[in-house]
Amino acid sequence: MTEPTTDRATRVPLSVLDLALVADGSTGVEAIQRAVALATDLDALGYHRVWYAEHHLAPGVASASPAVLAAAVAARTSRIRVGSGAVLLSTTSPLIAAEQFGTIAALHPGRVDLGLGRSFTVPPSARPGGEGTRADGAPGGAAAVVPPPRPPAPAVPRLVDGLYVPPAPPNGFNDPALRERILAQQEVIGVQRKPADFREEVELVLDVQRGTYRDRTGGAYTSPPVEGAQFDLWLLASSGGESARVAGELGLPLAANFHVSPATVLDTVAAYREAFRPGVLEEPYVIVSADVLVAQTLERARVLAEPFADWVLSIRRGERGAIAYPSPSAATAWTDRPDAERALVADRVDTRIVGDPETVVERLETLVRVTGADELLVTTATHDPAETRRSFELLAHAWGGADRTAAPDTGRVASGV
């Protein structure tokens, strides 16, 4: 195997988004235990940060409490940054999220990231009884939260400087049955808070952290675990809409979602950069997410990747959300799927980066070049946790090892300014 031609010293840092997947035949308890154990390996391998998503009532995903997982991992690691990708403002207020992560940062200063995903009000007609509800557009997603409508993506695939950008899937989150299922789950979750304007909620976190927060009447409030807390605030976005714009206007770092919404990633990054003004950061900083699976050979990687389409299909059309991750032997062959199923998941299957180390590195380099990413956030799904761990190990070594991926802290809000 030949070494990729790109100088390893020029490669951006690698980070991980972990969903604590529940493999078919396994349990949520085991998935959480394995996620914490995996983080210690990621720390040793030199990954820059590990984030945890917020999912609820999804049989195949055990990452429901990002703050709890981040705290557990921070206590068991020595270097890697920990955080959320993302805390959903449909279920948690920005102040409570800041207090959770500020508490973690008090014990692990300079190693904590608070990633927030925005909320919006679903029109009253969207649910029985005429009541509104809330939704989120975070890259990590959530099985029980309705994503907001997205700007229309191009209807045809594009090849942009070597990066395949697929068309958006048909229907997607506008599918009535899917939305009905998600809204029903919200009743169980107890989604009741009414978020304010997204920018106001983000500014609340920043102001409380700076010790300058005033409510609308001029009343001053102080939160001891948040004021001066050494965590970095991130916004997560799946389109070129409000989240990307607010991140740019406030000079915050952005996580742009390629792994779930590949059709819109270029619009997301462009909108952020266009809106950017110096604020928390002097210059834009973008993480781009990618779904990655590395094996020693291309053939082995393809075998391990076979269940992915079944899993994505369960998210986009299933009755209960993400299923427990299937084994390769139980997967439906791509050629055996009806055309409608293939169309619904093709964007994610076709943009998942699967292969041997050299192939994966080459495709990730293309993703960095085309998006201008300052960092990559990779997520990996397999039925066997040992294969997931091996994928991260192979990628870290192929990318350049700990001395390359352990980038220096970018100094966003660690000083509370």
Side-chain angles (χ1 to χ4, degrees):
M1 183 180 298
T2 59
E3 178 66 29
T5 56
T6 299
D7 182 356
R8 289 181 174 185
T10 66
R11 291 185 184 143
V12 302
L14 288 179
S15 295
V16 170
L17 173 66
D18 190 357
L19 307 185
L21 287 182
V22 181
D24 188 27
S26 185
T27 68
V29 170
E30 291 170 330
I32 292 169
Q33 292 171 343
R34 288 168 177 161
V36 174
L38 175 63
T40 63
D41 292 332
L42 298 175
D43 191 26
L45 288 168
Y47 283 89
H48 188 46
R49 69 186 89 231
V50 58
W51 285 357
Y52 299 97
E54 181 181 343
H55 291 248
H56 300 286
L57 301 177
V61 179
S63 179
S65 302
V68 177
L69 273 170
V73 166
R76 290 165 172 80
T77 55
S78 61
R79 180 199 53 81
I80 196 168
R81 296 183 67 91
V82 300
S84 56
V87 170
L88 307 180
L89 294 184
S90 54
T91 56
T92 304
S93 77
L95 175 63
I96 290 176
E99 288 178 337
Q100 290 171 344
F101 282 82
T103 300
I104 303 170
L107 302 175
H108 309 281
R111 291 179 55 204
V112 178
D113 301 319
L114 170 55
L116 296 178
R118 76 179 179 92
S119 304
F120 82 110
T121 301
V122 175
S125 59
R127 64 181 298 167
E131 298 177 3
T133 187
R134 298 287 163 175
D136 171 80
V145 179
V146 184
R150 295 171 180 164
V156 295
R158 295 176 291 163
L159 192 65
V160 181
D161 193 16
L163 178 69
Y164 176 69
V165 180
N171 295 326
F173 290 107
N174 295 320
D175 180 79
L178 176 61
R179 296 181 72 86
E180 182 178 351
R181 183 255 295 174
I182 294 175
L183 291 168
Q185 287 179 331
Q186 288 186 327
E187 293 289 342
V188 180
I189 297 169
V191 177
Q192 297 176 345
R193 75 174 302 264
K194 298 179 180 180
D197 174 80
F198 180 62
R199 176 166 177 155
E200 289 181 13
E201 299 222 301
V202 174
E203 289 179 324
L204 183 152
V205 174
L206 293 173
D207 289 345
V208 174
Q209 190 179 34
R210 294 164 176 151
T212 60
Y213 180 72
R214 300 291 185 276
D215 66 15
R216 293 179 182 178
T217 67
Y221 293 87
T222 298
S223 175
V226 181
E227 186 170 345
Q230 294 187 46
F231 64 76
D232 287 358
L233 181 63
W234 290 74
L235 301 188
L236 287 80
S238 296
S239 73
E242 185 178 21
S243 296
R245 176 180 55 78
V246 170
E249 290 173 351
L250 296 178
L252 287 166
L254 180 79
N257 178 17
F258 178 71
H259 83 280
V260 169
S261 186
T264 57
V265 67
L266 297 182
D267 295 334
T268 302
V269 174
Y272 167 68
R273 294 188 183 281
E274 181 178 355
F276 188 86
R277 302 292 183 272
V280 175
L281 297 178
E282 290 300 316
E283 297 179 351
Y285 192 94
V286 179
I287 280 184
V288 173
S289 66
D291 211 315
V292 174
L293 176 55
V294 190
Q296 197 63 54
T297 66
L298 177 59
E299 293 74 18
R300 178 60 178 165
R302 286 173 173 168
V303 169
L304 295 175
E306 194 69 27
F308 185 68
D310 285 311
W311 189 72
V312 174
L313 186 65
S314 74
I315 297 170
R316 290 185 169 176
R317 204 178 65 178
E319 295 181 357
R320 296 191 300 156
I323 58 174
Y325 202 83
S327 67
S329 62
T332 303
W334 184 256
T335 54
D336 293 340
R337 293 186 181 279
D339 291 343
E341 286 189 3
R342 289 201 295 265
L344 193 56
V345 301
D347 63 319
R348 291 196 61 179
V349 172
D350 292 344
T351 57
R352 194 184 195 203
I353 300 176
V354 175
D356 57 67
E358 182 179 2
T359 299
V360 169
V361 164
E362 182 179 0
R363 290 185 62 187
L364 287 176
E365 288 172 343
T366 298
L367 181 62
V368 171
R369 183 182 70 251
V370 176
T371 62
D374 299 289
E375 187 174 335
L376 291 175
L377 183 72
V378 298
T379 186
T380 295
T382 71
H383 178 264
D384 184 350
E387 297 285 4
T388 299
R389 196 266 179 208
R390 180 62 172 156
S391 177
F392 287 127
E393 180 182 34
L394 289 170
L395 178 59
H397 292 322
W399 196 253
D403 58 331
R404 300 303 182 199
T405 59
D409 177 55
T410 49
R412 279 169 279 281
V413 295
S415 63
V417 298

